[in-house]
Amino acid sequence: MGTFTIDNKTMHFLDKGEGPVLVFGHSYLWDSAMWAPQVETLSQHYRCIVPDLWSHGQSESAPVKTRTLRDYADDVLALLDHLNIDTFSIIGLSVGGMWGAELVLKAPARVQSLVLMDTFIGYEPEVTHAKYFAMLDTIADLKLVPAPMIDMITPMFFARNAEQNTPELVAQFRSHLVGLSGQHALDITRIGRMVFGRRDTFEEVEKLTLPTLIMVGAEDSPRPPLEAQLMHDAIDGSQYVIIPEAGHISNLEQSEFVTKHLVEFLGAVIA
């Protein structure tokens, strides 16, 4: 892992492989290790940069100036400038896709292609916005994730039969939620408000003219295929793939399927 400092806050990132650059964005409540199966394969032909989102993995809490996902896109651009990387592709899952789209809008000439996985670049629907902000308020007040909420959050990230098919993955995530406490839990809620209080990037969707692949788990409940279909319809020329027997963390539940489609897409659009 490498480190990069912004306003006295340290961001950690993985930098592996050589070749055209791929920048990965992980899900909320996960970290850069989430992309391990894909990085293992893609780093044989590409340089993979995988930052830990602020307050996730080994990265510290967000700088004071980082208040929105657009601000975070600036932070990632600063990291890439620090690494002397001019052009790159973005592979973003969940919040990774949200800030990834913002980064494309900020620096369209630098981004060669975009992968949006299990994400939605529109505003958070009113019902889920209220639900998630109430949950964040509770976590902030208690400075931990209460057990009933852990039982509610955990299944949201996986396919229906994940407890049987990938029990270790589910148990690992549940253990991570149990371990969130104190200031770290508070910092996580700050990032959550950035995610679920994001702006409606659909206002500029016509500017996303680069090669785009949209993938979504068939059983993704927080970011369902309907949202992915809306993005596909709005982004001219985009490709659309439904990942079978996968929930929100589709790249881990169906790693071989996802990696195969990434290899094919990137091979076709990156010279």
Side-chain angles (χ1 to χ4, degrees):
M1 297 289 286
T3 60
F4 176 59
T5 301
I6 300 177
D7 292 351
N8 296 316
K9 296 290 187 176
T10 301
M11 174 190 293
H12 285 249
F13 63 93
L14 176 70
D15 185 348
K16 183 176 181 181
E18 297 180 357
V21 175
L22 308 178
V23 179
F24 292 78
H26 62 76
S27 171
Y28 182 56
L29 298 178
W30 292 70
D31 59 31
S32 57
M34 185 192 84
W35 286 110
Q38 286 71 43
V39 169
E40 181 179 1
T41 296
L42 293 171
S43 63
Q44 297 174 33
H45 302 283
Y46 301 93
R47 182 181 178 185
C48 298
I49 308 293
V50 198
D52 278 335
L53 179 64
W54 295 122
S55 301
H56 291 66
Q58 298 181 57
S59 288
E60 294 183 340
S61 59
V64 173
K65 72 173 185 62
T66 303
R67 297 184 175 91
T68 69
L69 295 183
R70 299 177 82 183
D71 295 335
Y72 183 68
D74 285 332
D75 293 343
V76 175
L77 278 172
L79 166 65
L80 297 173
D81 290 343
H82 169 72
L83 296 173
N84 296 315
I85 293 171
D86 185 31
T87 58
F88 50 91
S89 293
I90 298 173
I91 301 171
L93 188 148
S94 191
V95 62
M98 296 168 190
W99 66 253
E102 294 287 12
L103 198 156
V104 173
L105 295 172
K106 284 178 174 291
R110 298 178 63 177
V111 189
Q112 295 177 291
S113 62
L114 174 65
V115 180
L116 298 171
M117 291 183 60
D118 301 281
T119 191
F120 188 55
I121 62 173
Y123 66 85
E124 191 66 37
E126 186 175 346
V127 172
T128 51
H129 180 282
K131 172 186 174 182
Y132 293 150
F133 268 69
M135 294 168 71
L136 293 170
D137 288 344
T138 298
I139 295 169
D141 288 343
L142 299 175
K143 291 191 177 180
L144 56 78
V145 187
M149 196 176 290
I150 291 174
D151 291 338
M152 184 193 320
I153 294 172
T154 301
M156 293 171 63
F157 281 83
F158 303 99
R160 288 186 292 271
N161 295 324
E163 291 275 9
Q164 292 75 40
N165 297 336
T166 54
E168 291 184 5
L169 184 62
V170 176
Q172 181 183 18
F173 180 64
R174 181 183 292 274
S175 176
H176 171 64
L177 295 180
V178 171
L180 290 177
S181 62
Q183 185 61 43
H184 188 201
L186 199 58
D187 293 337
I188 284 285
T189 65
R190 179 184 168 199
I191 301 299
R193 291 187 176 93
M194 288 168 49
V195 175
F196 303 117
R198 67 188 178 277
R199 77 180 186 115
D200 184 1
T201 311
F202 261 103
E203 294 176 356
E204 300 184 62
V205 73
E206 73 280 355
K207 298 178 183 178
L208 298 178
T209 58
L210 72 174
T212 302
L213 170 63
I214 298 168
M215 292 199 286
V216 61
E219 300 175 26
D220 188 339
S221 58
R223 299 269 74 104
L226 174 60
E227 291 183 339
Q229 182 69 55
L230 290 172
M231 294 190 298
H232 172 52
D233 292 343
I235 301 174
D236 285 345
S238 61
Q239 300 178 36
Y240 179 50
V241 175
I242 294 180
I243 305 163
E245 299 180 18
H248 193 58
I249 306 299
S250 58
N251 74 301
L252 288 175
E253 291 187 287
Q254 297 294 338
S255 60
E256 291 184 6
F257 182 97
V258 167
T259 302
K260 174 179 177 291
H261 280 274
L262 289 177
V263 168
E264 292 176 353
F265 172 73
L266 294 169
V269 300
I270 297 179

